[in-house]
Amino acid sequence: MKDVEALYNTYFHDVFLYVKSLSHSDDIAQEITQETFFKAMKSLHSFKGDCDVRVWLCQIAKNTYYNLCSRTRTIPIDNTAETIPDNSISLVESLEDTQQAMQIHHILHHMENPHKEVFTLRVFGELSFRQIAEIFGKTESWARVTFHRAKLKIIETLEEEN
């Protein structure tokens, strides 16, 4: 039982932030995170240690969140403008404009994974490339390239629409 408590205390915040980056809701993130640890507790014996525990927990959280979305047939979209941590890109000004932000959210909604998820984790979840790489079980370079390609797709689509 102490293992589960230590797991909970160590990774709760990381899993919560990850789910919040997907759902854009504190309430949903809290609910999914709690359910994630409940599922992890039930299947702790099956964890093989092939990946980092944080990655395993985030995968459970992601699947739990997507199951919730498919049951309710909704995927919440955050309507608030956010800034992008990468100062070298011109999307920062775009996100400050509410109409432009809605265009970007619309583009993201129709974007394919992993680009969509990597961009969302980086921008709205404010995760580092290292953390994103851990979640996907890939390298930091992969996370950077995927983010860059997603950013280029968004810029290209915005230019086409305007």
Side-chain angles (χ1 to χ4, degrees), residues 109-128:
H109 182 70
H110 292 92
M111 189 179 284
E112 296 286 324
N113 276 324
H115 297 95
K116 173 183 182 174
E117 192 170 354
V118 169
F119 187 87
T120 301
L121 290 172
R122 177 71 178 160
V123 176
F124 302 111
E126 298 178 355
L127 297 182
S128 69

Side-chain angles (χ1 to χ4, degrees), residues 22 65-66 69 72-77 109 116:
L22 294 173
Y65 173 68
Y66 286 159
C69 290
T72 60
R73 296 183 192 258
T74 58
I75 297 179
I77 297 176
H109 182 70
K116 173 183 182 174

Side-chain angles (χ1 to χ4, degrees), residues 15-33:
V15 174
F16 175 82
L17 289 177
Y18 174 66
V19 177
K20 186 175 178 186
S21 75
L22 294 173
S23 68
H24 305 289
S25 166
D26 284 339
D27 293 337
I28 292 173
Q30 184 73 31
E31 179 183 331
I32 297 296
T33 303

